[in-house]
Amino acid sequence: MPTLILVRHGRSTANTAGLLAGWTPGVALDERGAAQAAALPARLDGVPVAQVVTSPLQRCQETLAPLLTARPGLPVHTDDRIGECDYGDWSGRKLAELNDEPLMQVVQQHPSAAAFPGGESMRAMATRAAEAVREWNARVADEHGADATYLMCSHGDIIKALVADALGLHLDLFQRVSVEPCSVTVIHYTRVRPFLVRLGDTGDFASLMPRENPPDASGGDAAVGGGAGAP
């Protein structure tokens, strides 16, 4: 079975503004995100990528642009199933405001029961993403061989859900996973089980440095949507 490289999009304007972007149109990479995307080809240099699958959202398309320029002719496919969670009425709102919503406690502690008003449930998000990966695994193996490696560019909650799926974790535990912007997560699939080879690798340890406002200052809540990463 193939090896899957999961790349979260680079830091976006919504990340730095503290907004829950969801499917809001026009959310682009910020200056740091563009630099992260520009560095991606060198980070993956020498890794044989058979094809790319991407979320349709702008921030993922912009993240992939330097890699596709560096590897002309690399097949690219868009799949809505690895697009961001549909946060419905929460889309575009400030995360600081959403923390006061009763639903946020469910999102943090019991995400398998969380459904966003006017949007989708986190359970449906996780299911569609896992189904997409399994279908792409079969397609990549058929077209490029069982040992092929392919890349998906997606979003924080999608990647966290796929990691939980690979590890056999209940979705209620997926908020314990952290993937920063433009991080690389690798899952090797076999006939009987997946192996998590790498998780949230950015090649940058800035996020481990002391901060004035550490990410756990909110009492250990996870950053819905994935967070902005290192400052």
Side-chain angles (χ1 to χ4, degrees):
M1 296 286 285
T3 296
L4 171 60
I5 299 172
L6 289 160
V7 176
R8 185 184 168 202
H9 62 78
R11 196 173 75 175
S12 73
T13 53
N15 292 144
T16 47
L19 301 176
L20 188 62
W23 285 72
T24 304
V27 176
L29 298 184
D30 68 5
E31 185 176 351
R32 180 179 176 87
Q36 291 170 334
L40 189 60
R43 290 170 61 196
L44 296 176
D45 186 40
V47 178
V49 177
Q51 67 181 44
V52 169
V53 184
T54 181
S55 157
L57 296 174
Q58 179 179 337
R59 51 197 183 275
C60 287
Q61 306 278 341
E62 291 180 356
T63 299
L64 285 176
L67 178 65
L68 298 178
T69 298
R71 301 194 187 196
L74 184 62
V76 184
H77 306 273
T78 300
D79 193 329
D80 287 358
R81 294 174 297 175
I82 62 167
E84 181 62 282
C85 184
D86 183 355
Y87 299 115
D89 298 343
W90 280 25
S91 300
R93 292 182 60 188
K94 285 190 171 293
L95 287 163
E97 298 173 357
L98 293 171
N99 286 333
D100 296 329
E101 295 279 354
L103 177 61
M104 182 58 85
Q105 187 175 9
V106 182
V107 171
Q108 292 290 334
Q109 304 296 332
H110 190 21
S112 65
F116 296 97
E120 71 178 329
S121 68
M122 301 199 93
R123 186 176 62 256
M125 171 204 73
T127 298
R128 64 171 163 86
E131 288 178 349
V133 166
R134 280 162 175 75
E135 288 182 20
W136 280 107
N137 281 349
R139 179 170 172 178
V140 169
D142 182 59
E143 295 178 358
H144 302 283
D147 295 328
T149 297
Y150 73 110
L151 182 149
M152 278 186 171
C153 187
S154 188
H155 306 266
D157 281 348
I158 294 286
I159 294 172
K160 288 162 58 175
L162 290 171
V163 168
D165 175 76
L167 292 176
L169 295 177
H170 195 282
L171 185 63
D172 286 345
L173 300 179
F174 99 127
Q175 297 288 28
R176 301 185 184 195
V177 178
S178 176
V179 288
E180 292 195 3
C182 221
S183 62
V184 172
T185 294
V186 182
I187 302 171
H188 174 61
Y189 290 87
T190 74
R191 185 174 59 84
V192 293
R193 66 172 62 88
F195 291 89
L196 180 63
V197 178
R198 192 158 297 189
L199 175 62
D201 187 348
T202 63
D204 181 356
F205 293 100
S207 63
L208 302 181
M209 302 304 175
R211 300 196 204 180
E212 185 174 331
N213 296 302
D216 63 352
S218 60
D221 286 347
V224 180

